[in-house]
């Protein structure tokens, strides 16, 4: 059973460590080496050293096909590779509602968005949004809708809290997320309806690009009207490659990004999140608004919200069912005493973590192609690197051996940025405002449609091409976006070719 507001932080909160000094995991000699290798390049005539290996020693060099995002990192031990393969099976496993004749596969829901992780993360890549046209637009599962309401005042029955920005107040009837699907005997919560308006953008040279601006509504509500102040945020399932390496980026490097001045009025800032294992407030890293601190917590939240499954971190068997959904709370759950207290026992949850942490990042392509190098130079000259930080050396004390001290090229600063009204959802999350989003990693972006030909880009999949994704950038990214508009057609083609090489 869920409470009225979802507690992501304690009432008395310590400040997040500032990370004002140099990295604490490195010796002075190591620190000098790391600073030298991660310094921005000034030479665009040749590829940089190790640029081909986006994911460090774990970079995969396999045949490029639809399975390229589903490969284990190349530097896994035999035991880790075995765990990865078992985790792969769990990631693809279809869960069923209880009671069922299956063993260790029941407990789905009662409300849910998908039956499996793979159901949204298509071949470990980006999900598919509902079609831009046609009646099937409301039936897709990879685009979900987060829900919340503004903080209720104490006079209106809300709690008195000291740090309100770290609380997310669930919609009282429907919870934190809309679940269209439900077990037999329980109504689903509703369907997402999307209407698109065309927005033409004229580029230098006369070319016109038509952007698709979405408007969202919920129909067929199963439990009556929503709160009049409900805030909605559509979220598309992102690719899941390289997550363990992102987790191994030292927090001091991320805080250093926040202190840097890259011009153009860019001021990235970290999000904060409650670590449900340590009960401490820490740096947020994962999710479209960096609302989750770890792969483990991100996975547990997905089991909880997307599939209604309990884990050791979130042991409630009924997922996002609220107190107002009595029939949902009366349904049987799938926990089996012989396996543990939860529907996803600790061993299963850990194997899924191993899988998600060790999906390998593919090699770059065409790193020495002159057009790609020209596009890379334009990427730097347009100040895209102010947010899409190219490279890091991961921490020496990372939890997993294969993630330690790796030179990686994710192209993200892991920070929140105001992206303007065009992309705003109006729904705060932690410290993130309604117009702020975390800079998404770009590694693998050029293989998006190889993995899922129907895939699109941005947090709600509105961008059908990489150029459309760039043109949606506003807020702090407006100057960089405007430089792309002013480019010649050849320069824009070079920029896109560089992105496609990642």
């Amino acid at each position: 059973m869920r409470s009225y507001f979802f507690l992501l932080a304690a009432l008395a909160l310590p400040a997040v460590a500032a990370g004002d000094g140099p990295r604490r995991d490195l010796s002075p000699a190591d620190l000098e080496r790391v600073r030298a290798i991660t310094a921005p390049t000034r030479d665009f005539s040749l590829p940089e050293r190790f640029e081909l290996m986006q994911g460090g020693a774990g970079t995969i060099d396999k045949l490029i096909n639809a399975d390229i995002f589903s490969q284990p990192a190349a530097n896994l031990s035999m035991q880790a590779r075995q765990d990865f393969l078992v985790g792969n099976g769990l990631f693809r496993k279809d869960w069923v509602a209880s009671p069922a004749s299956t063993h260790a596969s029941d407990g789905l829901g009662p409300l849910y968005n998908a039956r499996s992780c793979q159901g949204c993360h298509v071949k470990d890549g980006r999900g598919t949004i509902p079609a831009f046209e046609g009646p099937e637009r409301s039936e897709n599962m990879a685009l979900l809708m987060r829900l919340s309401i503004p903080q209720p005042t104490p006079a209106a029955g809300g709690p008195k809290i000291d740090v309100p920005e770290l609380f997310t107040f669930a919609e009282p009837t429907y919870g934190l997320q809309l679940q269209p699907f439900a077990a037999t005997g329980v109504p689903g919560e509703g369907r997402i309806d999307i209407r698109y308006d065309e927005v033409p953008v004229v580029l230098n040279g006369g070319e016109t690009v038509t952007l698709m601006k979405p408007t969202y509504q919920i129909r067929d509500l199963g439990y009556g009207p929503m709160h009049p102040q409900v805030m909605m945020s559509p979220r598309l399932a992102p690719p899941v490659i390289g997550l363990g390496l992102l987790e191994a980026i030292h927090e001091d490097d991320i805080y250093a990004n926040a202190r840097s001045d890259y011009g153009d009025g860019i001021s990235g800032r970290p999000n904060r999140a409650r670590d449900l294992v340590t009960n401490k407030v820490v740096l947020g890293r994962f999710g479209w608004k960096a609302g989750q601190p770890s792969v483990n917590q991100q996975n547990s939240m997905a089991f909880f919200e997307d599939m209604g499954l309990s884990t050791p971190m979130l042991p409630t068997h009924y997922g996002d069912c609220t107190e107002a959904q009595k029939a949902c709370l009366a349904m049987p759950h799938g926990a089996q005493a012989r396996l543990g207290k939860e529907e996803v026992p600790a061993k299963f949850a850990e194997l899924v973590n191993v899988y998600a942490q060790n999906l390998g990042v593919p090699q770059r392509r065409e790193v020495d192609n002159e057009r790609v190098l020209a596009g890379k130079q334009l990427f730097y000259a347009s100040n895209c690197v102010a947010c899409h930080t190219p490279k890091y050396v991961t921490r020496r004390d990372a939890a997993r051996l294969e993630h330690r001290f790796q030179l990686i090229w994710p192209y993200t600063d892991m920070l929140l940025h105001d992206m303007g009204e065009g992309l705003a959802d109006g729904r705060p999350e932690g410290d993130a405002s309604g117009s702020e989003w975390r800079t998404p990693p770009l590694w693998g972006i050029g293989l998006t449609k190889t993995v899922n030909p129907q895939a699109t880009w941005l947090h709600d999949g509105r961008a059908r091409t990489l150029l459309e994704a760039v043109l949606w950038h506003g807020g702090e990214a407006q100057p960089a976006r405007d430089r792309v508009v002013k480019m010649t057609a050849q320069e824009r083609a070079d920029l896109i070719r560089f992105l496609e090489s990642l």
Side-chain angles (χ1 to χ4, degrees):
M1 184 183 301
R2 298 186 55 268
S3 59
Y4 178 58
F5 62 92
F6 195 73
L7 190 61
L8 292 178
L11 297 181
L13 297 172
V16 176
D20 288 334
R23 279 179 47 175
R24 296 155 287 173
D25 62 320
L26 300 179
S27 68
D30 278 347
L31 189 60
E32 187 174 343
R33 291 170 58 201
V34 168
R35 283 174 172 165
I37 198 69
T38 57
T41 185
R42 298 177 183 275
D43 181 1
F44 299 95
S45 64
L46 294 169
E48 296 173 74
R49 291 180 68 198
F50 312 115
E51 191 173 7
L52 190 69
M53 305 291 283
Q54 293 191 105
T59 302
I60 56 173
D61 178 19
K62 299 286 186 182
L63 180 67
I64 301 296
N65 58 28
D67 294 323
I68 192 61
F69 284 178
S70 300
Q71 306 294 332
N75 59 343
L76 290 185
S77 67
M78 289 296 291
Q79 180 58 55
R81 183 176 289 263
Q82 183 63 37
D83 291 344
F84 176 92
L85 294 174
V86 178
N88 182 13
L90 293 166
F91 195 84
R92 283 159 172 71
K93 170 178 175 175
D94 278 334
W95 293 82
V96 297
S98 298
S101 58
T102 60
H103 294 283
S105 292
D106 52 337
L108 177 70
L111 298 171
Y112 60 94
N113 292 85
R115 292 181 179 276
S116 68
C117 309
Q118 170 82 358
C120 293
H121 301 281
V122 178
K123 288 186 172 294
D124 304 296
R126 208 171 296 266
T128 304
I129 63 164
F132 285 89
E133 296 178 355
E136 70 274 27
R137 63 173 50 184
S138 63
E139 302 303 325
N140 202 285
M141 62 183 67
L143 183 76
L144 57 81
M145 188 68 76
R146 292 282 172 81
L147 308 171
S148 59
I149 61 172
Q151 178 190 347
T153 64
K160 182 179 180 181
I161 54 178
D162 296 331
V163 189
E165 68 270 22
L166 287 184
F167 289 80
T168 298
F169 291 85
E171 201 287 332
T173 301
Y174 291 86
L176 284 167
Q177 186 166 299
L178 184 82
Q179 284 97 15
F181 307 110
T184 301
V186 180
E189 292 190 316
R191 306 286 182 180
I192 302 174
D193 240 358
I194 313 174
R195 188 192 70 191
Y196 289 99
D197 294 318
E198 296 185 350
V199 180
V201 178
V202 180
L203 308 178
N204 179 33
E207 178 187 357
T208 298
V209 175
T210 301
L211 304 182
M212 303 295 281
K213 181 181 179 182
T215 302
Y216 298 94
Q217 289 188 322
I218 308 299
R219 64 175 173 84
D220 301 335
L221 287 170
Y223 298 86
M226 287 189 178
H227 191 283
Q229 293 180 285
V230 65
M231 298 179 288
M232 301 192 294
S233 178
R235 308 284 176 91
L236 177 65
V240 286
I241 59 172
L243 297 186
L245 294 170
L246 295 177
E247 196 169 39
I249 295 175
H250 202 286
E251 58 267 28
D252 287 349
D253 285 344
I254 298 173
Y255 291 128
N257 289 336
R259 294 193 300 274
S260 297
D261 180 3
Y262 295 102
D264 284 341
I266 293 172
S267 56
R269 63 196 186 104
N271 203 350
R272 295 182 290 173
R274 169 67 62 179
D275 185 317
L276 297 179
V277 174
T278 65
N279 203 32
K280 295 180 179 178
V281 176
V282 297
L283 176 71
R285 292 175 185 258
F286 298 106
W288 286 105
K289 296 208 178 200
Q292 298 299 335
S294 66
V295 174
N296 183 19
Q297 190 158 318
Q298 176 77 9
N299 289 346
S300 295
M301 289 300 296
F303 277 125
F304 177 82
E305 291 184 319
D306 300 350
M307 292 182 277
L309 295 162
S310 54
T311 60
M313 183 177 287
L314 292 162
T316 302
H317 299 315
Y318 299 97
D320 200 30
C321 297
T322 68
E323 295 176 17
Q325 295 168 322
K326 305 295 186 187
C328 184
L329 298 174
M331 295 293 286
H333 61 74
Q336 302 176 31
R338 65 185 177 84
L339 297 175
K341 297 179 181 178
E342 295 85 24
E343 293 161 318
V344 182
K347 181 61 177 175
F348 286 15
E350 178 54 27
L351 289 167
V352 174
N353 289 338
V354 171
Y355 179 73
Q357 289 171 325
N358 290 293
L359 281 162
V361 178
Q363 273 191 357
R364 284 275 308 279
R365 281 87 52 215
E366 298 189 302
V367 289
D368 55 355
N369 181 284
E370 63 176 341
R371 302 265 51 100
V372 171
L373 288 167
K376 178 181 174 182
Q377 186 168 11
L378 290 163
F379 188 82
Y380 277 68
S382 301
N383 208 21
C384 304
V385 291
C387 303
H388 290 284
T389 307
K391 50 191 169 177
Y392 298 87
V393 173
T394 59
R395 55 192 312 153
R396 271 206 179 278
D397 56 355
R400 295 189 64 91
L401 179 63
E402 59 269 21
H403 300 153
R404 293 176 187 168
F405 210 54
Q406 300 292 312
L407 174 61
I408 61 172
W409 305 71
Y411 287 88
T412 172
D413 60 5
M414 306 289 283
L415 297 174
L416 300 169
H417 293 274
D418 186 340
M419 296 300 290
E421 283 304 307
L423 291 177
D425 63 355
R427 178 182 181 272
E429 180 177 328
D431 280 346
S433 73
S435 60
E436 288 182 314
W437 300 93
R438 184 201 66 160
T439 308
L442 298 183
W443 53 13
I445 196 169
L447 296 171
T448 297
K449 284 187 178 292
T450 301
V451 173
N452 177 8
Q454 306 304 316
T456 51
W457 288 275
L458 297 178
H459 69 278
D460 55 4
R462 68 177 68 183
R464 297 165 295 179
T465 66
L466 287 173
L467 181 56
E468 286 186 21
V470 172
L471 295 177
W472 271 112
H473 282 48
E476 296 176 26
Q478 186 74 38
R481 174 264 189 202
D482 291 347
R483 293 183 188 110
V484 176
V485 170
K486 292 176 181 175
M487 288 179 181
T488 66
Q490 181 62 59
E491 288 171 335
R492 281 193 296 274
D494 290 345
L495 178 69
I496 297 302
R497 189 156 177 181
F498 164 68
L499 294 174
E500 290 174 342
S501 77
L502 298 178

